[in-house]
Amino acid sequence: MEQGTVEPQPEARVWLPAQAASAEPYGARDRGGAPAAAPCTRPPRPRPRRHSVRGQVLDALRRALTVGELLPGEVYSAPALGERYGVSATPVREAMQQLAGEGAVEVVPNRGFRVCERSSRDLAELSEVRTMLELPAIVRLARAVPPERWEELRPLAEDGVAAAARGDRAGYAEADHAFHQALIALTGNRRLTEVTGGLLRRAQWSAGGGGRPRTADLLADASEHTALLDALVAQEHAVVERIARTHLSAARHRH
C-alpha cells in the first residue's frame, strides 16, 4: 500500500443500495391474463449510476475530513481510498477532484491527493470573510422576514442540538451547514448561499486534524442557532446582530 494511505476499515465501507427487481417482468402475461412463457434470459439488473456512487463517496470523504480521519498534510491515493470504501478508484478520484475545487485537498501528481493544512490565521481569515458576508445578510433578513418564516428553520437547529448532544462531530457539521444554508437562502441570492456554504466547509475541514471537541463545546455552538432563531422571531434586532457576530467568530468554529 502506498505511503500515507489509510488501512482498510470495514465499518467505513460505502454500501450501495441494491437495485429492486420486479416480481414479474413486463409482458409476463398475455392479453387474456394468462401467464406467458418465461423468457429465455432474464434482463440484467441496471448498474448503479456513477454519479450516485460518487455522491456517496463524496459524503464519506467529507465526513472523514470533518472528524479528522483524513489528516492535514497526508497524501491519500484514489486506489487505497477505493479499497477502504469498497468502490473502484474512479468515483473516489472524481469526488476528490470536487473536493480539490472546494479547497479541501490538492492534487499531488502521480501520488494522489494531499489534505490541505490551514493555520490559525487561515481560520481567522475565513471567519472574517464569513462575517463580512453573512452578518449584513442576517441583519437585513431580521427586518424583512416575518417571524413565522423563522420557525421553519427550527427543525434544522434542533437537529444540530441533537447531534451535538451525541458528541457527533460530523453530524453537527452537516446540521450546522444545513442551518446556515437555509438561513442565507432566504436572501434569494444563490451565489451568496453557495459562497458562504463553501467558506463554512473550509472552516470545518481546517480543524479536522486537531483534538476532538468536547460535547459541551458542540452544544454551546448549537445553542447559538436556537438563540439566534429566538431573537429573530422576537424581532430583537440588536440581539440578533450580537449573537450572529459571536457565532461567526473564528474561536467558536473548531468543530
Side-chain angles (χ1 to χ4, degrees), residues 32 65 94 96 99 104 107-108 133 161 168 204 219 237 239:
L65 284 164
E94 292 172 345
M96 280 293 201
L99 291 172
V107 178
V108 180
L133 294 175
V161 172
D168 182 356
Q204 292 169 341
L219 280 170
H237 301 144
V239 177

Side-chain angles (χ1 to χ4, degrees), residues 37-43:
C40 296
T41 59
R42 187 180 183 86

Side-chain angles (χ1 to χ4, degrees), residues 46-241:
R47 293 172 179 263
R49 290 177 295 177
R50 176 175 294 177
H51 77 266
S52 65
V53 179
R54 179 184 60 192
Q56 293 179 66
V57 173
L58 180 61
D59 289 343
L61 290 173
R62 279 179 169 156
R63 181 179 183 87
L65 284 164
T66 301
V67 301
E69 292 176 0
L70 300 181
L71 300 176
E74 294 293 323
V75 177
Y76 300 91
S77 72
L81 289 173
E83 182 180 354
R84 174 179 181 175
Y85 293 121
V87 298
S88 71
T90 299
V92 175
R93 192 172 291 110
E94 292 172 345
M96 280 293 201
Q97 290 287 356
Q98 180 169 338
L99 291 172
E102 296 174 2
V105 300
E106 58 186 7
V107 178
V108 180
N110 302 319
R111 292 186 61 195
F113 301 86
R114 178 184 291 113
V115 178
C116 292
E117 298 181 89
R118 294 190 178 92
S119 64
S120 58
R121 177 175 177 176
D122 294 324
L123 278 173
E125 290 177 350
L126 284 168
S127 177
E128 182 178 2
V129 176
R130 287 190 66 209
T131 301
M132 292 171 64
L133 294 175
E134 290 191 51
L135 185 59
I138 294 171
V139 170
R140 289 197 303 269
L141 288 170
R143 300 181 181 278
V145 176
E148 59 270 19
R149 289 295 305 278
W150 294 117
E151 288 295 348
E152 296 174 9
L153 273 63
R154 188 74 65 178
L156 296 176
E158 292 172 350
D159 287 345
V161 172
R166 297 192 303 268
D168 182 356
R169 178 175 175 176
Y172 178 68
E174 288 305 313
D176 186 35
H177 189 267
F179 177 84
H180 282 272
Q181 289 283 270
L183 192 159
I184 299 301
L186 291 175
T187 64
N189 189 321
R190 293 174 298 173
R191 297 296 184 188
L192 178 62
T193 305
E194 178 182 352
V195 169
T196 56
L199 290 170
L200 176 53
R201 287 287 191 200
R202 292 180 184 229
Q204 292 169 341
W205 293 332
S206 296
R212 189 174 182 85
R214 298 178 305 166
T215 298
D217 295 331
L218 293 179
L219 280 170
D221 204 74
S223 68
E224 291 175 354
H225 291 167
T226 56
L228 178 63
L229 283 181
D230 291 342
L232 287 165
V233 170
Q235 297 182 311
E236 298 174 341
H237 301 144
V239 177
V240 167
E241 182 172 358

